[in-house]
């Protein structure tokens, strides 16, 4: 241990030597400028893009935004300044004095001494128009420019903050982060249609693969996480997953992000659900506290009324019902369903919607699904005459399934039998190994990250919460 | 803003209601148990895998590890306990009292009252053997089990910590995190051989793509980050990138991770290099301080002597030479190279090695490469008669290229000409748009994450610093 400490010592010594700083002291981000409490004429430089220009008799008001916050910095300049180039969308550098603002809306403003236009904006052909609130559908046509609007700016800042919050949650709770592979030779999980991967320049000979075996884009990092949970006890991954499904729905993408965790020495669904609920609430609290303005924008303009819905989810304990109870509830419903609910058959979107409504718009865990509906790795409930597995889905208002999880079958012989029945024994010998060498009861879950963002922000279409959406017939940029 | 605050208020109220905790108070991770300073008989439960068993006259010593730290917890039990099942690799739950240890090596030990074997380990066929230090090459055959060894355990904990450190660095410095897409229709960057993506079940008709256009796995998120830097000023991504190259080298993988950043309003390579050096040093300091034991293990057993090498890198300022100077240095070298160094030709691995050695084993930035060697987006140096671009590579001892970066061409007309010369104008209209609407000088870089880990830990082969390596002829699990 001394060695690493010595290294640190050496570095601390080195850092007393004048070190290059990434930014000169006078240059401020807009967020930093807005945060100055007692502005008293400090000379600063701010760079950003013009969001509005307003000319009065003797003064010119600009709003400059650099994406560090939703709010722009008000710049006040002498109207004698040539304002022809100071158009909406142009990039500028403003030097001046930071002073207390007269206006109620902001604490500080920048009294400009010099404004330099860095890059003009051809506003006539710029698809984003001054003072217009463009619908999200319209903006989707411009994946390279839509991030410059308030709405997408806020959504993507929230996405960044939520990413950090999720990483923090797991780190603080002793989980080791694992990069599970994107390219995988596992194709038998049945989680959905797969994308296959091949070198593009290769003359395609089916017998000869780049990897010697057919390779696919991952649909889940679960099996790889199980490997790691056998060494680190608590592990998580947060990466891209893929489905080659022909779907244009508002809840599906061909490429989306999943947060997955796996926990060893975990013996009950109850314990698993506690982590799931805790993660949801802890991450959301962090996002609300670090991005309040951005969340507020969505709750005000994108999804009016969603604030109360989210508050309702956060302040109530999530509910738990069994699959069997769910089917009973559906059978007793006065509503007519397109698909008649029946024990042994998968729940449909319409069923999920009804169940959440029935539960008073509180997120609800549905547990213990029929064994026949679920993949080989889910743990069989030993005392259930109905042949169920310890699986759990979390249904949330407006979205449906947000999480899926289960206890995993840790008993060698039971797992071996189930693999044999599916003809998978050979392919999953390595997975059986995990049960031969110090097996432990364990379980895990996956949460769709885009659906999580939809749920927090109330954004209706999943394509608006990811920077560059990929779906059938669309892979722009 | 009030709305989000109200939500937080509601939640704070809710958290005063008894909330389910993920773990009972008596259950401790090994790391937590080892951290107890004044153990005085607290009753605790610890779960993990047996790393060693030693039987003395009246007592039995076990070492139990749960992956939360390199160090195991010593368990002391009465020798009357049936030890037949307490074999290496078995999983156990131990209940007992945490007491001060007599031994010098550890502060605390667990006086067992009850030991329950959870899962046996068939030691005879378990490829990891008790008390043996297996070479990393040997362990590579068992990607599902190697994480249970000290070496891989330490490496992967460091990887997790380094991931967190890099995220923190960017967050603390005001960068917005962006998930750049994995599947992309950009294929013209020339950064290397591409993987193509197609639905696996599709009857292959070349004219009809799932995405309507040919789709590939990304080789870099740079262009997408440039989109985002035009809104958020400072952005980063940290995700998988791909090369379909037929390479089995110790420095290449088909799937690897890149840390990429893009910064608007950045006008000089000097500023860019400061961020690159700062990131390297800040992340490394964080790793050394949070994972000292794990780093130490590598510096002791995997790469003896590497500690001094790393210290040397950390306490010196990185050097800067131009490509032209680099070629001169190589031409004056007494060494004979397989490839004769020549202005206008790419540097080879042997050249990089020589340059780093020449620079006293301090990382060295090589800047201003010939325009003809570099892609269209790199910024032309206006005052250089030799036609160079503002590109930078960072060469580090033992690895070679760790970072690549450049200023990007922000001038519309110059970029337009370069695209036209390459016949790419049509495909990159969106990229030109970024220069039409409020263009700014900007630059960015990418750092190979596995190479970074190799550099910090001294691990020779890149396949040993990633959980599941993918390379030509190999995609196991």
């Amino acid at each position: 241990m001394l060695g690493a400490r010595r290294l640190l010592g050496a570095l601390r010594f080195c850092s007393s030597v004048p070190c290059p700083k990434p930014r000169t002291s006078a240059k401020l981000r807009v967020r930093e400028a807005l945060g100055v409490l007692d502005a008293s004429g400090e000379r600063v430089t701010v760079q950003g893009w013009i969001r509005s220009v307003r000319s009065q008799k003797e003064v010119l008001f600009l709003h400059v935004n650099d994406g560090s916050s939703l709010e722009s910095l008000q710049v006040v300049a002498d109207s004698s300044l040539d304002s022809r180039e100071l158009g909406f969308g142009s990039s500028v550098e403003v030097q001046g004095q930071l002073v207390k603002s007269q206006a109620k809306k902001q604490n500080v403003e920048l009294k400009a001494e010099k404004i330099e236009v860095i890059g003009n904006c051809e506003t006539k052909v710029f698809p984003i128009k001054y003072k217009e609130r463009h619908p999200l559908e319209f903006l989707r046509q411009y994946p390279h420019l839509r991030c410059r609007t308030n709405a997408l700016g806020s959504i993507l800042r929230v996405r960044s903050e939520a990413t950090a919050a999720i990483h923090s949650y797991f780190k603080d709770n002793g989980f080791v982060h694992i990069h599970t592979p994107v390219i995988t030779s596992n194709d038998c999980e049945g989680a959905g249609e797969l994308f296959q991967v091949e070198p593009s320049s290769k003359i395609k000979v089916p017998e000869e693969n780049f990897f010697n075996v057919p390779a696919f884009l991952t649909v889940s990092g679960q099996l790889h996480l199980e490997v790691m949970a056998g060494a680190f006890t608590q592990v998580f991954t947060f990466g891209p997953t893929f489905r080659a499904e022909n779907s244009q729905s508002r809840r599906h993408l061909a490429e989306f992000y999943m947060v997955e965790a796996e926990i060893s020495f975990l013996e009950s669904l109850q314990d698993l659900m506690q982590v799931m609920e805790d993660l949801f609430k802890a991450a959301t609290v962090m996002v609300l506290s670090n991005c309040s303005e951005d969340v507020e924008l969505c709750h005000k303009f994108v999804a009016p009324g969603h604030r109360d819905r989210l508050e309702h989810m956060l302040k109530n304990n999530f509910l738990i019902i069994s699959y069997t109870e769910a089917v009973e509830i559906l059978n007793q419903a006065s509503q007519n369903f397109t698909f008649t609910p029946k024990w042994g058959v998968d729940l449909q979107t319409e069923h999920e919607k009804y169940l959440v409504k029935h539960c008073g718009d509180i997120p609800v865990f549905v547990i213990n699904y029929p064994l026949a509906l679920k993949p080989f790795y889910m743990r069989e409930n030993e005392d259930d005459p109905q042949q169920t597995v310890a699986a759990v889905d979390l249904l949330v208002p407006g979205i449906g399934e947000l999480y899926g999880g289960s206890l995993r079958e840790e008993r060698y012989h039971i797992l071996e039998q189930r693999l044999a029945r599916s003809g998978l024994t050979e392919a999953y010998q390595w997975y059986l190994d995990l049960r031969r060498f110090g097996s432990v009861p364990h379980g895990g879950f996956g949460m769709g990250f885009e659906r999580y963002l939809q749920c927090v922000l109330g954004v209706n279409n999943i394509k608006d919460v990811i920077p560059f959406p990929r779906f059938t017939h669309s892979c722009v940029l």
Side-chain angles (χ1 to χ4, degrees), chain A:
Chain A
M1 289 230 323
L2 262 181
R5 287 211 196 99
R6 208 182 84 203
L7 274 182
L8 279 174
L11 196 73
R12 265 188 225 111
F13 178 75
C14 146
S15 73
S16 71
V17 174
C19 251
K21 286 265 179 251
R23 214 179 290 138
T24 65
S25 64
K27 215 193 261 185
L28 284 191
R29 299 293 302 272
V30 166
R31 175 193 276 274
E32 293 165 338
L34 291 170
V36 173
L37 288 180
D38 291 305
S40 55
E42 296 85 349
R43 285 224 143 61
V44 300
T45 301
V46 169
Q47 300 163 319
W49 291 268
I50 296 176
R51 284 291 175 89
S52 80
V53 194
R54 191 159 47 89
S55 182
Q56 283 189 354
K57 267 184 215 162
E58 287 174 7
V59 281
L60 191 69
F61 292 102
L62 299 181
H63 281 100
V64 175
N65 189 289
D66 66 358
S68 59
S69 68
L70 174 62
E71 207 183 329
S72 299
L73 179 66
Q74 173 154 294
V75 173
V76 188
D78 195 287
S79 66
S80 66
L81 207 82
D82 183 0
S83 67
R84 277 171 301 176
E85 280 197 323
L86 296 175
F88 173 68
S90 295
S91 51
V92 289
E93 175 173 305
V94 186
Q95 290 174 34
Q97 286 184 288
L98 214 55
V99 295
K100 273 200 178 163
S101 176
Q102 309 293 326
K104 273 192 180 168
K105 269 182 156 181
Q106 65 264 337
N107 288 321
V108 291
E109 58 189 28
L110 184 57
K111 223 175 120 187
E113 289 163 349
K114 188 181 161 198
I115 302 182
E116 186 193 345
V117 176
I118 295 174
N120 280 313
C121 181
E122 299 179 30
T123 37
K124 277 188 190 158
V125 282
F126 192 36
I128 300 164
K129 300 298 177 195
Y130 184 33
K131 282 195 175 171
E132 231 170 88
R133 192 172 300 141
H134 300 289
L136 294 175
E137 293 82 344
F138 170 83
L139 291 173
R140 240 172 268 152
Q141 301 171 77
Y142 307 100
H144 61 309
L145 299 172
R146 65 174 184 166
C147 50
R148 303 184 184 193
T149 62
N150 278 346
L152 263 293
S154 284
I155 291 171
L156 293 178
R157 269 190 301 274
V158 168
R159 186 180 171 106
S160 169
E161 197 61 46
T163 301
I166 288 166
H167 275 276
S168 295
Y169 174 84
F170 283 116
K171 189 166 168 30
D172 294 348
N173 285 283
F175 284 72
V176 172
H177 177 271
I178 300 292
H179 285 118
T180 51
V182 171
I183 302 177
T184 174
S185 50
N186 285 324
D187 65 336
C188 335
E189 236 197 288
E193 283 294 305
L194 296 162
F195 284 109
Q196 191 157 0
V197 173
E198 279 174 30
S200 65
S201 62
K202 208 183 106 192
I203 303 132
K204 279 165 194 165
V205 189
E207 294 78 27
E208 258 185 51
N209 296 94
F210 179 88
F211 294 111
N212 287 15
V213 289
F216 308 93
L217 295 185
T218 185
V219 293
S220 158
Q222 179 205 316
L223 302 187
H224 298 97
L225 278 189
E226 283 189 69
V227 165
M228 295 295 162
F232 302 106
T233 306
Q234 300 192 146
V235 291
F236 81 105
T237 191
F238 183 171
T241 44
F242 306 85
R243 299 282 187 282
E245 265 155 54
N246 195 344
S247 166
Q248 300 256 21
S249 106
R250 65 171 194 88
R251 299 187 309 146
H252 292 88
L253 289 168
E255 172 179 329
F256 60 99
Y257 279 75
M258 264 229 283
V259 178
E260 295 179 88
E262 200 69 29
I263 304 169
S264 287
F265 303 103
L266 180 136
E267 293 180 65
S268 75
L269 276 186
Q270 191 67 41
D271 289 347
L272 192 65
M273 290 187 285
Q274 278 173 5
V275 181
M276 293 159 85
E277 180 168 349
D278 204 34
L279 167 64
F280 179 91
K281 289 184 173 174
T284 307
V285 169
M286 230 184 284
V287 167
L288 291 175
S289 114
N290 294 346
C291 275
S292 53
E293 265 189 329
D294 292 313
V295 174
E296 197 66 10
L297 179 97
C298 293
H299 289 180
K300 208 165 163 186
F301 297 115
V302 176
H306 193 70
R307 196 178 61 186
D308 295 335
R309 211 178 196 181
L310 183 61
E311 182 174 356
H312 186 64
M313 290 188 236
L314 287 174
K315 73 179 182 191
N316 285 291
N317 287 330
F318 293 0
L319 303 174
I320 304 171
I321 58 173
S322 71
Y323 168 85
T324 305
E325 285 167 333
V327 173
E328 278 165 19
I329 290 166
L330 294 168
N331 280 329
Q332 283 160 20
S334 54
Q335 187 177 324
N336 282 326
F337 296 111
T338 314
F339 297 89
T340 310
K342 198 181 149 193
W343 203 98
V345 178
D346 254 332
L347 298 178
Q348 301 293 321
T349 307
E350 55 176 346
H351 303 149
E352 294 177 351
K353 272 189 186 169
Y354 182 87
L355 288 169
V356 173
K357 194 113 248 139
H358 178 88
C359 292
D361 279 323
I362 295 170
V364 55
F365 291 107
V366 182
I367 63 172
N368 297 335
Y369 283 78
L371 180 139
L373 289 180
K374 296 290 184 181
F376 67 84
Y377 51 73
M378 293 196 176
R379 193 181 198 277
E380 213 173 315
N381 288 318
E382 38 225 325
D383 47 3
D384 191 342
Q386 282 197 290
Q387 279 223 307
T388 59
V389 287
V392 53
D393 281 351
L394 178 68
L395 309 180
V396 297
I399 305 293
E401 187 190 334
L402 174 65
Y403 276 99
S406 78
L407 301 185
R408 321 303 188 188
E409 188 55 80
E410 89 281 9
R411 296 163 293 187
Y412 184 88
H413 294 292
I414 298 179
L415 182 63
E416 196 184 27
Q417 283 164 23
R418 290 187 69 187
L419 283 169
R421 273 202 294 275
S422 320
L424 296 172
T425 313
E426 185 70 23
Y428 285 92
Q429 204 54 52
W430 64 271
Y431 190 70
L432 275 167
D433 271 2
L434 305 179
R435 278 72 178 167
R436 269 168 98 189
F437 307 124
S439 184
V440 293
H442 64 288
F445 59 80
M447 176 181 83
F449 181 55
E450 283 75 20
R451 289 190 182 177
Y452 167 76
L453 292 174
Q454 286 185 273
C455 178
V456 169
L457 297 176
V459 173
N460 187 55
N461 195 310
I462 197 166
K463 300 175 187 73
D464 298 324
V465 295
I466 190 165
F468 300 95
R470 272 79 181 93
F471 50 96
T472 336
H473 308 311
S474 182
C475 180
V476 186
L477 309 198

